[in-house]
Amino acid sequence: MSFKSIVRELKEMKDGIGSISRRGEVEGRHWRNRTRTHIAPDVVPFDPNQQGQWANIPPELLLDIVRRVEESETSFPARTAVVFCASVCKSWREVTKEIVKTPEECGRLTFPISLKQPGPRESPIHCFIKRDRANSVYRLYFGLTPSEDESDKLLLAAKRIRRATSTDFVISLVSDDFSRASSTSNFLGTKFTIYDNQLPSDAAIQHRGRLSRRFSTKQVSPTVSACNYSIATVSYELNVLRTRGPRRMHCAMHSIPFSSIQEGGSAPTPTSFPQYFDEKSSPALVPRAKKPSVNSSSTVSVPSREPLVLKNKAPRWHEQLQCWCLNFKGRVTVASVKNFQLVAAVDPSHNIPAAVQETTILQFGKIGKDIFTMDYCYPLSAFQAFAICLSSFDTKPACE
């Protein structure tokens, strides 16, 4: 049996499991509507955790199959076959998780958790953003440019919500579910705070201060943690009427230590999403002596340590074109005030090699109407890079 036929059969089996589940729900409602005098047939309930016949494959053969599928399917949509392998049963899932490396190691995005892991060190991951002006929605896709058949892989989606004194950007894994704010700006649009509901893997919880009333229980499910961790701050320098040239921005990445770009350093790499829990059972929400408020959530910051600070690369003035220019290496084709490149802000005392200082960690720019490219690499993750780019879309009265 060829590998393509194996993948096709796995997909069919996965679709079959979904149909079995839906049929079971329909039949369950049917029998609950009947009176108790009727005798129901003995139906064995479907167990989603059952191993099935595919679990009996010898471990050596299973390891070889999954490894070959992972090596052959390097980009979407073909790489979905790797996800199918992890969906077969528990043993397949464990083997697939063991074989699939992080984006930093292999330069590929596979599972949703890859969006929270640092990008590759050598070459950036290429993505693009589509802006939906009518609905104030921004969608991040994987790939160099949009495809003609619109079969691009959706990575993240965000919705802009304007308030009286601020603007919120809500980031989600799906394009139609926006329930938690991930980025909040101030009134002038010069400072953005990026939040995450997942604490970095090597950090301990510290309270920032009083409880934040940013979410109510009507917006957040009672079984979901209402904790928000401040992981980064994006600041734009005041530049009224652009008298000081293009925008100047600084990003303080509180969740990424400066040591990550030093020799032998590493960035926090989560391996799974946080388990959801009840607010009352969370020690991070409020001190034990206090009772949690019904409409409050806790804003938590990561420990105080020297964070990685990013700054935009200074453009040069082009005399012939009479404009500011940056070398985007062909990834940006339209002039825009939103275009930028971020590099590490390094003090001379840190003794960081010049090559590391000049490495573009994140670049963002316009290539068409409502279409922008986003290329990022280590130590940023796709989620962090996307949140930083979203800040460029907001109106900035004090910077323009």
Side-chain angles (χ1 to χ4, degrees):
M1 179 182 295
S2 63
F3 287 105
K4 290 187 178 296
S5 61
I6 292 177
V7 172
R8 183 167 56 253
E9 189 169 346
L10 291 176
K11 183 178 180 181
E12 293 174 354
M13 185 180 67
K14 182 176 181 293
D15 297 338
I17 292 175
S19 63
I20 292 175
S21 301
R22 290 189 294 271
R23 187 172 66 250
E25 293 176 1
V26 174
E27 293 178 354
R29 289 194 299 266
H30 170 74
W31 288 108
R32 283 193 296 271
N33 293 333
R34 303 292 294 270
T35 61
R36 295 185 178 181
T37 57
H38 290 79
I39 300 177
D42 185 11
V43 179
V44 179
F46 173 74
D47 183 8
N49 296 321
Q50 65 182 358
Q51 296 283 55
Q53 59 179 353
W54 290 93
N56 299 325
I57 296 180
E60 296 80 6
L61 178 59
L62 174 59
L63 191 66
D64 183 62
I65 292 175
V66 177
R67 180 180 288 112
R68 292 196 182 191
V69 172
E70 198 276 336
E71 292 176 352
S72 61
E73 313 298 354
T74 57
S75 61
F76 289 97
R79 193 159 179 78
T80 311
V82 181
V83 182
F84 290 157
C85 290
S87 306
V88 174
C89 59
K90 183 177 180 180
S91 59
W92 281 64
R93 181 163 56 252
E94 295 300 326
V95 171
T96 306
K97 289 171 60 177
E98 178 183 349
I99 293 177
V100 175
K101 305 300 181 183
T102 64
E104 179 184 353
E105 297 171 315
C106 67
R108 302 169 185 170
L109 299 174
T110 307
F111 301 116
I113 193 61
S114 303
L115 303 175
K116 292 288 191 74
Q117 296 173 339
R121 294 176 181 260
E122 301 299 329
S123 59
I125 292 181
H126 301 292
C127 308
F128 63 91
I129 298 174
K130 284 186 177 181
R131 175 174 58 182
D132 183 354
R133 291 177 179 266
N135 300 310
S136 298
V137 173
Y138 307 82
R139 295 179 175 87
L140 176 67
Y141 294 91
F142 176 78
L144 291 171
T145 56
S147 60
E148 296 181 357
D149 56 358
E150 298 185 354
S151 60
D152 305 297
K153 173 62 178 179
L154 177 68
L155 300 179
L156 293 168
K159 184 176 180 63
R160 181 171 63 181
I161 303 175
R162 293 188 180 275
R163 306 188 186 281
T165 59
S166 64
T167 300
D168 289 352
F169 285 91
V170 187
I171 301 177
S172 174
L173 285 170
V174 294
S175 59
D176 57 354
D177 180 17
F178 303 100
S179 59
R180 300 291 298 275
S182 304
S183 176
T184 303
S185 72
N186 61 358
F187 177 72
L188 295 177
T190 58
K191 185 176 181 179
F192 294 79
T193 303
I194 301 174
Y195 297 94
D196 191 6
N197 65 347
Q198 182 170 9
L199 192 69
S201 55
D202 61 346
I205 295 176
Q206 287 186 353
H207 282 280
R208 168 174 285 186
R210 64 183 180 84
L211 292 178
S212 170
R213 295 176 177 270
R214 295 175 57 250
F215 303 115
S216 67
T217 52
K218 293 182 180 179
Q219 295 174 308
V220 183
S221 171
T223 60
V224 178
S225 167
C227 278
N228 284 301
Y229 305 101
S230 174
I231 63 170
T233 303
V234 183
S235 302
Y236 291 83
E237 294 185 12
L238 295 177
N239 187 12
V240 181
L241 301 179
R242 302 185 191 174
T243 56
R244 301 176 60 185
R247 292 178 179 176
R248 300 180 183 179
M249 58 188 298
H250 290 81
C251 304
M253 309 303 299
H254 307 304
S255 60
I256 304 178
F258 178 81
S259 59
S260 62
I261 64 171
Q262 294 177 325
E263 185 177 358
S266 61
T269 306
T271 57
S272 61
F273 287 102
Q275 296 293 328
Y276 295 131
F277 48 85
D278 197 316
E279 289 184 21
K280 297 182 180 180
S281 65
S282 170
L285 292 178
V286 291
R288 293 183 179 180
K290 297 182 180 180
K291 184 178 180 180
S293 176
V294 295
N295 64 341
S296 298
S297 65
S298 178
T299 301
V300 185
S301 60
V302 298
S304 57
R305 55 183 176 180
E306 185 177 10
L308 174 66
V309 178
L310 306 178
K311 65 177 182 179
N312 65 303
K313 185 180 291 186
R316 62 179 179 85
W317 179 257
H318 199 290
E319 290 292 343
Q320 295 180 347
L321 298 178
Q322 290 294 298
C323 64
W324 297 96
C325 297
L326 276 173
N327 182 13
F328 289 96
K329 298 181 180 179
R331 289 286 290 151
V332 178
T333 57
V334 180
S336 173
V337 68
K338 299 178 176 62
N339 302 345
F340 66 81
Q341 290 179 330
L342 294 184
V343 296
V346 178
D347 189 88
S349 61
H350 287 131
N351 296 323
I352 301 296
V356 177
Q357 299 184 37
E358 297 173 359
T359 300
T360 301
I361 297 177
L362 171 63
Q363 100 173 0
F364 172 80
K366 191 173 185 179
I367 60 173
K369 184 178 180 181
D370 297 325
I371 301 178
F372 303 79
T373 58
M374 187 195 86
D375 302 338
Y376 74 97
C377 62
Y378 177 90
L380 290 183
S381 66
F383 167 73
Q384 295 165 338
F386 186 41
I388 294 174
C389 293
L390 289 174
S391 68
S392 185
F393 286 106
D394 193 33
T395 304
K396 300 170 178 57
C399 300
E400 299 175 350

